[in-house]
Amino acid sequence: MKQTFQVDLRLAESSTFITQLALSQVRLSHNAAFPWLLLIPQQDSLIEVIDLSPHDQHLLIQEIALVSQVMQKLFHPDKLNIATLGNLVPQLHIHIIARYQNDGAWPHPVWNSGVMKNYEPEQKLCRIDLIQTALRQAC
Amino acid sequence: MKQTFQVDLRLAESSTFITQLALSQVRLSHNAAFPWLLLIPQQDSLIEVIDLSPHDQHLLIQEIALVSQVMQKLFHPDKLNIATLGNLVPQLHIHIIARYQNDGAWPHPVWNSGVMKNYEPEQKLCRIDLIQTALRQAC
């Protein structure tokens, strides 16, 4: 399955690859207004969580927990927002977003909030490196 | 733990108890604009998914999958939206919402959409009964 798997173009263009876990690819959203990661399970034709086997559902929650721990350690958010929506891009992907009481969208969800910031190229590389290192240490 | 557990008042007032699973209470949101269920793990002081033990994280994803299957069977949505946000009500709760391309908020998330409809009392009882029966059959 993994050989043929392709990340949806809209996800690929709005995020950058960080690392590969057992089930999912971890990516950094290009919206720098929030520390915002994506988990994309690398199997073809996934839309809903229940399209994964029970074994892979367990893997998914383990990877959500791993990324959540890294987000808490690195970014000390007031709250994590975790969601799989897929109304615009059906390919199964899970958002894990660090939220702060003083971020531009609080207390509302980030999607459709209009709050958007671009990364400086160096800042993006630095953040990816930081997350890669933290994930490696936590695994 | 279960004896002292209390559902946050804001969640209690905006949803109705349907049934109790191994970990979570299942509740029906009072917003009739969408088939919308809540899973609330019944342990004190939970805020993030990672506040659950790894064992209970597995139970949670199993219960998310169970409720997802029931939602698909009963409501045939175009997409399920599954999320834990907690910016307004920190007590850990997971939204599982059946979405349709012709619902009032599509393709945006339901939160903060302003799309709200009340249930007729009989309609609410009927829906709760339907979901209770489907969950019992699926367990």
Side-chain angles (χ1 to χ4, degrees):
Chain A
M1 298 279 270
K2 283 189 185 169
Q3 282 86 356
T4 65
F5 175 80
Q6 283 200 314
V7 172
D8 181 283
L9 194 63
R10 289 159 291 186
L11 297 178
E13 287 179 346
S14 61
S15 63
T16 298
F17 178 84
I18 299 179
T19 195
Q20 176 65 46
L21 303 176
L23 175 71
S24 312
Q25 191 173 114
V26 185
R27 300 181 68 94
L28 177 72
S29 163
H30 292 167
N31 188 346
F34 315 91
W36 182 341
L37 300 185
L38 296 175
L39 280 177
I40 307 181
Q42 292 215 153
Q43 292 175 12
D44 291 336
S45 309
L46 296 176
I47 294 179
E48 303 290 356
V49 168
I50 48 175
D51 294 336
L52 291 165
S53 70
H55 172 269
D56 289 343
Q57 290 170 19
H58 283 187
L59 266 182
L60 179 64
I61 195 86
Q62 286 168 221
E63 294 183 352
I64 288 171
L66 175 73
V67 171
S68 297
Q69 278 155 358
V70 163
M71 294 283 265
Q72 279 200 332
K73 183 183 162 197
L74 294 179
F75 304 115
H76 308 287
D78 293 317
K79 191 68 194 69
L80 290 171
N81 287 180
I82 304 174
T84 174
L85 306 175
N87 305 339
L88 289 167
V89 180
Q91 183 178 64
L92 181 62
H93 60 286
I94 295 91
H95 303 270
I96 304 181
I97 309 161
R99 301 297 309 276
Y100 302 90
Q101 289 178 16
N102 65 353
D103 72 35
W106 186 271
H108 304 302
V110 299
W111 310 278
N112 201 34
S113 70
V115 181
M116 170 70 196
K117 202 175 131 190
N118 291 318
Y119 277 102
E120 296 299 321
E122 193 183 317
Q123 184 197 11
K124 194 201 280 182
L125 287 174
C126 177
R127 179 156 287 185
I128 287 171
D129 184 61
L130 196 71
I131 296 166
Q132 271 176 343
T133 304
L135 282 168
R136 213 169 23 236
Q137 288 171 348
C139 274
Chain B
M1 298 281 270
K2 281 189 185 168
Q3 282 86 358
T4 65
F5 175 80
Q6 281 201 315
V7 172
D8 180 282
L9 194 63
R10 289 160 291 185
L11 297 178
E13 287 179 347
S14 60
S15 64
T16 297
F17 178 84
I18 298 179
T19 195
Q20 175 66 46
L21 303 176
L23 176 70
S24 311
Q25 190 173 114
V26 186
R27 301 181 68 94
L28 177 73
S29 163
H30 291 167
N31 187 346
F34 316 91
W36 182 341
L37 300 185
L38 296 175
L39 280 177
I40 308 180
Q42 292 213 153
Q43 291 174 12
D44 290 336
S45 310
L46 297 177
I47 294 178
E48 303 290 355
V49 168
I50 49 175
D51 295 336
L52 290 165
S53 70
H55 173 269
D56 289 343
Q57 290 170 18
H58 283 188
L59 266 183
L60 179 64
I61 195 86
Q62 286 169 221
E63 294 182 353
I64 288 171
L66 175 73
V67 170
S68 297
Q69 278 155 357
V70 163
M71 295 283 266
Q72 279 200 332
K73 184 182 161 197
L74 294 178
F75 304 114
H76 309 286
D78 293 315
K79 189 71 192 68
L80 290 171
N81 287 180
I82 303 174
T84 173
L85 306 174
N87 305 339
L88 289 168
V89 180
Q91 183 179 64
L92 180 62
H93 59 287
I94 295 91
H95 303 269
I96 305 181
I97 309 161
R99 300 298 308 277
Y100 302 89
Q101 290 177 16
N102 65 352
D103 73 34
W106 185 272
H108 303 301
V110 299
W111 309 278
N112 202 34
S113 70
V115 181
M116 170 70 198
K117 200 175 133 191
N118 291 318
Y119 278 101
E120 296 297 322
E122 192 182 317
Q123 184 197 12
K124 193 201 282 182
L125 286 175
C126 176
R127 179 156 286 185
I128 287 171
D129 185 59
L130 197 72
I131 296 166
Q132 271 176 345
T133 304
L135 281 169
R136 211 168 26 235
Q137 287 171 347
C139 274

